[in-house]
Amino acid sequence: MKKQLKAKAMTFPAPVFIVATYNEDGSVDAMNAAWGGVCGSVPPCIQISLNAGRKTRENVLKTGAFTINIGGEDLMEISDYFGLISGSKEDKIVKVGMTVTKSKNVNAPILDRYPVSIECRVYDTKEIGPHLMVIGEIKGICAEKTVLDDNGEVSVEKLAPIGLDPVGHKYIAFDHVIGKAFDAGKKYL
């Protein structure tokens, strides 16, 4: 029998999206945003939620653009740090020695050490309590060759991204595949 639990914001796993934007002075800000995911395919869109008072939220609204940078276990500590302090209090990019490249598709930075960067233009926003839900239209994706498969697509096995357990406050590694989507359930057809 299932037990009824208190309503709270959770899903398993939550993503570890490192959202990068430009500050007014041209410097770079980055934050760890676990609340987000794909929300449309035509046009391709991704959603993030940004709490009130976040420097990244201000920047997204001013520039109309952001990148989502995805990494693996080797970037866990940096990714966690990006969520611990506001960019209005500290230059996080300088602190971790991160280099950046300007996106070719939107007015936002790409974090060079992250193997996948999704370039987004703000498509729409919606206030939900203290959070701003931002829908970003994906205008481009940059990926290191080391995480691509033979067809030139991002390979989850090669990327081995990390996720977040939002209840237990733990990072989870995704380093192997357990089945093929749109195939595993065919025995029930």
Side-chain angles (χ1 to χ4, degrees):
M1 172 186 273
K2 292 184 179 177
K3 179 182 176 185
Q4 189 69 43
L5 303 174
K6 180 181 171 189
K8 60 181 151 187
M10 66 171 241
T11 186
F12 296 101
V16 177
F17 287 161
I18 306 304
V19 180
T21 59
Y22 284 121
N23 295 314
E24 285 182 358
D25 65 1
S27 62
V28 175
D29 178 58
M31 73 167 279
N32 187 330
W35 294 3
V38 171
C39 65
S41 58
V42 180
C45 289
I46 197 162
Q47 173 272 324
I48 55 173
S49 290
L50 306 172
N51 205 350
R54 291 287 195 159
K55 183 67 175 162
T56 307
R57 177 177 165 150
E58 291 174 30
N59 292 345
V60 164
L61 290 173
K62 286 179 184 169
T63 65
F66 58 95
T67 60
I68 294 175
N69 300 272
I70 301 172
E73 287 183 61
D74 61 325
L75 292 164
M76 180 191 65
E77 291 173 347
I78 290 174
S79 296
D80 189 59
Y81 165 70
F82 284 155
L84 294 176
I85 190 164
S86 172
S88 61
K89 296 180 180 174
E90 191 166 293
D91 188 333
K92 297 184 265 187
I93 300 302
V94 169
K95 179 97 176 204
V96 300
M98 183 70 61
T99 59
V100 300
T101 303
K102 183 172 178 11
S103 163
K104 292 181 180 176
N105 296 296
V106 298
N107 183 25
I110 290 171
L111 304 181
D112 294 335
R113 288 181 54 195
Y114 283 80
V116 173
S117 299
I118 303 170
E119 303 159 289
C120 301
R121 179 187 58 80
V122 174
Y123 184 84
D124 200 359
T125 62
K126 169 101 174 128
E127 294 281 347
I128 302 174
H131 288 85
L132 178 69
M133 182 176 69
V134 179
I135 297 172
E137 181 179 356
I138 299 170
K139 302 306 268 181
I141 299 171
C142 296
E144 293 290 338
K145 291 179 184 176
T146 57
V147 299
L148 300 180
D149 63 17
D150 293 339
N151 297 319
E153 298 290 340
V154 174
S155 162
V156 71
E157 297 98 329
K158 291 181 178 184
L159 176 60
I162 59 172
L164 172 72
D165 167 358
V167 175
H169 301 136
K170 298 175 271 194
Y171 290 107
I172 306 154
F174 294 93
D175 60 356
H176 71 281
V177 173
I178 63 167
K180 185 159 176 48
F182 309 107
D183 185 65
K186 284 184 178 176
K187 71 179 187 177
Y188 296 106
L189 292 177

